[in-house]
């Protein structure tokens, strides 16, 4: 088997037994990433120091040290997470020159476990989008078919992972940005419970919804990464004190005693036939493995998209106010600063620094928060959000894990939806409610479309119940036998 096709566990064994050095592993991935990136545009920045860092790890290994469970594992990091000394752009011209002086907690924990940042992945600007087409650094291509989008906003991480340019990748998910690209690229993507993973050092989009999580080839790789990045962080007061469960469980093949919920309201006509077939086959597999299937009602999920776009845009308008070209972000090229009015100065910096999708969200959010509209929009959205969370709480009294589609369709063609923002937003129908309710969710590869594009199914569990979600995922993964399928992309 090729080094780049190995799992975390397999690589760890090879590095620990000295069959492979950390340097060899990192070099192999780095060279592959460098050559395939010309085609995929999955990375905005490659870490030029990665190989030197691996050499340092090899020295530590030779000295008898054990730097940690991820020693020598090259990991691709979405360019929303701050990396000390490596440019962190959020996919925006606004931050195109920003080099953070510190690591985000997620990155710090990965490094502490011995991992190496191989590069920073492309994304929709400030993680706003579902196709990676809003990035200032250009669209990312889907490794399964270069004419198609990889999904978004963590499209670079998804494409890099599917093409095996890293052992594992990190994404962020505010309304589906880990799960939808994972589905489009045929990989595993996990959005943890809100509060499971620290947001410290992650560029803020919508703070009450944002969570970072793993994007990997297999469920057990996702478990390895999630365990390392999870847990309380004194730098993020919204992180939970709850113990991080052991997710690397003996791989369960049976689902006996498990109740799988199907959301009645998700049976919509907008569902593409291939996606419908894939979800159906996952349900049949679960039954075969002994699960009981239960129908549940979640009527408020029909409002998830409008609530999400109000809450997310409102929080974004506030979070992005800091980019004024003085304290943070792009500053326009002024001949003489003394001659310019302050307001014009801000307008020009922000007008040039932000792309049109980000500007649209800032305007929607500012409007929803303005006096006179605050109660009608922002407050109302918050109220319905609470009721939606309540409905999920009741649903999880009846079932252990919810199974549903991730997106209405498989990956679509580059350029197909970008001119119509509303169509783009409406396709977030199955992912946004998970974030609004703060629940853990994941996408698991389970089928292919007639055109050969991957399709994932979504699993959702109750708060801090990742364990149950992973148990179901392990069983379905074993029955699907899909993780061996690798896209055929060559330099
Ligand atoms: N597609 C959604 C949006 O554009 C989700 C993005 C995300 O999860 N970061 O807001």
């Amino acid at each position: 088997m090729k080094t780049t096709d190995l799992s975390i566990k397999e690589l760890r064994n090879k590095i620990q037994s000295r069959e492979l050095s950390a340097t060899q592993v990192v070099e192999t991935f780095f060279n592959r990433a460098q050559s395939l990136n010309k085609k995929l545009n999955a990375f905005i920045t490659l870490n030029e120091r990665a190989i030197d860092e691996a050499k340092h790890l090899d020295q530590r290994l030779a000295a008898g040290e054990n730097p940690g469970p991820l020693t020598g594992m090259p990991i691709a990091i979405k360019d929303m997470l701050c990396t000390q000394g490596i440019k962190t752009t959020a996919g925006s011209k606004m931050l195109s020159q920003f080099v953070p002086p510190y690591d985000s907690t997620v990155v710090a924990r990965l490094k502490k476990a011995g991992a190496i940042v191989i590069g920073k992945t492309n994304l929709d600007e400030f993680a706003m989008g579902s196709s990676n087409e809003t990035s200032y650094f250009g669209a990312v291509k889907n490794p399964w078919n270069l004419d198609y989008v990889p999904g978004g906003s963590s499209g670079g991480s998804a494409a890099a992972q599917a093409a095996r340019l890293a052992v594992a990748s990190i994404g962020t998910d505010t309304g589906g940005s880990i799960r939808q690209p994972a589905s489009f690229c045929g990989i595993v993507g996990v959005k943890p419970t809100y509060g499971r993973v620290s947001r410290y050092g992650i560029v803020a989009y919508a703070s009450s919804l944002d969570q970072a999580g793993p994007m990997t080839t297999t469920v057990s790789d996702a478990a390895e990464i999630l365990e390392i990045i999870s847990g309380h962080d004194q730098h993020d007061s919204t992180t939970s004190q709850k113990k991080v469960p052991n997710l690397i469980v003996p791989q369960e093949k049976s689902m006996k005693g498990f109740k799988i919920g199907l959301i009645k309201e998700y049976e919509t006509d907008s569902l593409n036939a291939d996606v419908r077939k894939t979800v159906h086959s996952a349900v049949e597999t679960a039954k075969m493995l002994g699960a009981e299937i239960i129908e549940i009602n979640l009527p408020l999920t029909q409002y998830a998209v409008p609530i999400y776009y109000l809450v997310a845009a409102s929080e974004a308008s506030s979070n992005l106010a800091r980019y004024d070209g003085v304290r943070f972000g792009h500053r326009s090229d002024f001949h003489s600063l003394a001659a310019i009015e302050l307001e014009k100065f801000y307008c020009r910096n922000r007008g040039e620094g932000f792309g049109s999708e980000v500007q649209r969200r800032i305007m929607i959010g500012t409007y929803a928060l303005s006096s006179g509209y605050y109660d009608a929009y922002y407050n109302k959205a918050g109220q319905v959000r609470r009721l939606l969370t309540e409905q999920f709480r009741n649903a999880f009294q009846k079932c252990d894990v919810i199974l549903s589609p991730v997106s209405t369709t498989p990956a679509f063609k580059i350029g197909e939806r970008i001119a119509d923002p509303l169509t783009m937003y409406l396709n977030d129908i199955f992912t946004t409610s998970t974030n609004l309710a703060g629940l853990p969710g994941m996408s698991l590869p389970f089928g292919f479309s007639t055109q050969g594009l991957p399709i994932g199914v979504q699993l959702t569990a109750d708060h801090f119940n990742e364990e149950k979600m992973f148990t179901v995922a392990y069983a379905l993964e074993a029955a699907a036998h899909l993780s061996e399928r690798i896209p055929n992309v060559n330099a």
Side-chain angles (χ1 to χ4, degrees):
M1 220 172 170
K2 272 167 46 189
T3 302
T4 49
D5 292 346
L6 298 174
S7 69
I8 291 179
K9 196 168 150 208
E10 288 163 337
L11 274 173
R12 179 166 49 228
N13 289 341
K14 286 198 192 291
I15 291 174
Q16 270 166 8
S17 68
R18 303 289 194 274
E19 197 181 316
L20 285 172
S21 67
T23 311
Q24 282 170 320
V25 172
V26 173
E27 222 161 27
T28 307
F29 277 98
F30 191 87
N31 292 342
R32 184 172 168 82
Q34 205 164 36
S35 72
L36 287 183
N37 201 42
K38 297 186 190 85
K39 264 195 175 157
L40 299 171
N41 198 25
F43 286 98
I44 293 173
T45 309
L46 279 167
N47 178 13
E48 299 296 336
R49 294 195 309 259
I51 295 169
D52 283 342
E53 287 166 12
K55 284 185 186 151
H56 181 65
L57 283 176
D58 280 326
Q59 283 164 3
R60 288 178 61 191
L61 282 168
E65 280 180 54
N66 178 9
L70 296 180
T71 298
M73 310 280 162
I75 311 233
I77 308 284
K78 186 179 186 179
D79 217 10
M80 282 291 263
L81 290 93
C82 284
T83 38
Q84 185 177 22
I86 306 174
K87 220 160 62 174
T88 299
T89 68
S92 182
K93 180 176 180 182
M94 189 53 100
L95 288 176
S96 57
Q97 306 304 328
F98 175 54
V99 180
Y102 69 106
D103 278 326
S104 50
T105 297
V106 168
V107 169
R109 287 187 179 176
L110 289 169
K111 281 187 177 173
K112 196 162 163 249
I116 290 198
V117 174
I118 187 167
K120 305 297 297 291
T121 56
N122 205 341
L123 68 159
D124 281 296
E125 186 178 359
F126 282 98
M128 297 176 189
S130 312
S131 65
N132 223 297
E133 293 166 287
T134 72
S135 169
Y136 174 65
F137 300 91
V140 175
K141 312 271 169 64
N142 189 318
W144 291 91
N145 185 329
L146 301 181
D147 294 333
Y148 285 76
V149 303
S153 63
S154 314
S157 289
Q161 192 54 39
R164 305 297 191 273
L165 311 185
V167 176
S169 304
I170 298 290
T172 64
D173 191 313
T174 304
S177 279
I178 287 176
R179 290 159 289 156
Q180 184 254 28
S183 173
F184 283 14
C185 290
I187 57 164
V188 176
V190 181
K191 181 210 101 64
T193 307
Y194 185 82
R196 183 65 97 187
V197 175
S198 170
R199 291 179 293 110
Y200 178 71
I202 301 180
V203 176
Y205 164 13
S207 308
S208 77
L209 303 162
D210 298 341
Q211 271 292 286
M215 302 177 78
T216 57
T217 309
T218 63
V219 177
S220 62
D221 282 358
E224 295 246 13
I225 300 291
L226 186 56
E227 278 200 34
I228 284 165
I229 63 174
S230 291
H232 180 69
D233 176 16
Q234 59 170 3
H235 295 304
D236 175 0
S237 61
T238 63
T239 50
S240 165
Q241 300 273 1
K242 281 198 170 65
K243 208 177 143 275
V244 178
N246 175 16
L247 299 168
I248 314 164
V249 284
Q251 313 213 349
E252 195 57 62
K253 300 269 159 30
S254 158
M255 277 165 70
K256 250 203 168 52
F258 261 83
K259 294 193 174 114
I260 302 290
L262 302 182
I263 305 179
K264 192 153 187 310
E265 288 77 13
Y266 280 6
E267 284 164 23
T268 94
D269 291 341
S270 60
L271 209 57
N272 157 290
D274 290 329
V275 175
R276 193 183 296 274
K277 221 164 50 198
T278 305
V279 175
H280 182 74
S281 108
V283 173
E284 290 305 310
T285 308
K287 267 194 215 160
M288 225 171 57
L289 295 171
E292 188 186 337
I293 308 296
I294 287 173
E295 194 167 87
I296 50 174
N297 287 87
L298 284 164
L300 287 176
T301 51
Q302 65 179 305
Y303 301 114
V305 169
I307 304 169
Y308 168 79
Y309 277 93
L310 274 168
V311 173
S314 300
E315 292 184 18
S317 78
S318 157
N319 273 328
L320 271 54
R322 75 190 71 174
Y323 304 106
D324 54 13
V326 179
R327 289 167 309 161
F328 293 104
H330 166 82
R331 182 180 296 180
S332 186
D333 200 8
F334 296 102
H335 292 305
S336 155
L337 273 184
I340 190 132
E341 283 168 41
L342 190 60
E343 201 171 320
K344 280 205 187 112
F345 172 77
Y346 289 147
C347 284
R348 225 163 95 186
N349 294 341
R350 286 167 68 81
E352 287 175 7
F354 291 133
S356 57
E357 183 58 31
V358 174
Q359 294 190 16
R360 178 167 22 249
R361 307 260 182 132
I362 292 174
M363 285 190 275
I364 293 171
T366 308
Y367 182 83
L369 291 178
S370 60
S371 80
Y373 294 103
Y374 186 91
D375 279 336
Y377 294 116
Y378 185 73
N379 249 353
K380 181 64 85 189
Q383 285 162 349
V384 186
R385 179 181 182 182
R386 269 190 296 283
L387 294 173
L388 173 68
T389 310
E390 201 57 46
Q391 288 191 348
F392 270 106
R393 191 164 298 137
N394 292 336
F396 284 118
Q397 310 246 301
K398 299 191 197 109
C399 66
D400 299 295
V401 170
I402 294 172
L403 200 156
S404 69
V406 180
S407 184
T408 51
T409 65
F412 45 91
K413 280 214 163 114
I414 293 174
E416 197 178 301
R417 290 187 193 161
I418 193 68
D420 181 0
L422 211 52
T423 306
M424 197 76 98
Y425 299 170
L426 286 171
N427 279 288
D428 293 338
I429 163 169
F430 303 127
T431 49
T432 44
S433 54
T434 314
N435 303 73
L436 289 167
L439 301 165
M442 74 192 279
S443 174
L444 179 78
F446 210 78
F448 282 88
S449 72
T450 42
Q451 285 155 310
L453 292 164
I455 300 173
V457 293
Q458 178 170 226
L459 303 173
T460 313
D462 205 355
H463 292 111
F464 297 103
N465 246 318
E466 279 89 352
E467 240 169 320
K468 277 188 181 171
M469 187 169 82
F470 271 79
T471 304
V472 173
Y474 279 124
L476 287 179
E477 179 188 51
H481 294 299
L482 286 178
S483 56
E484 290 89 36
R485 285 193 67 171
I486 295 172
N488 189 12
V489 49
N490 295 306

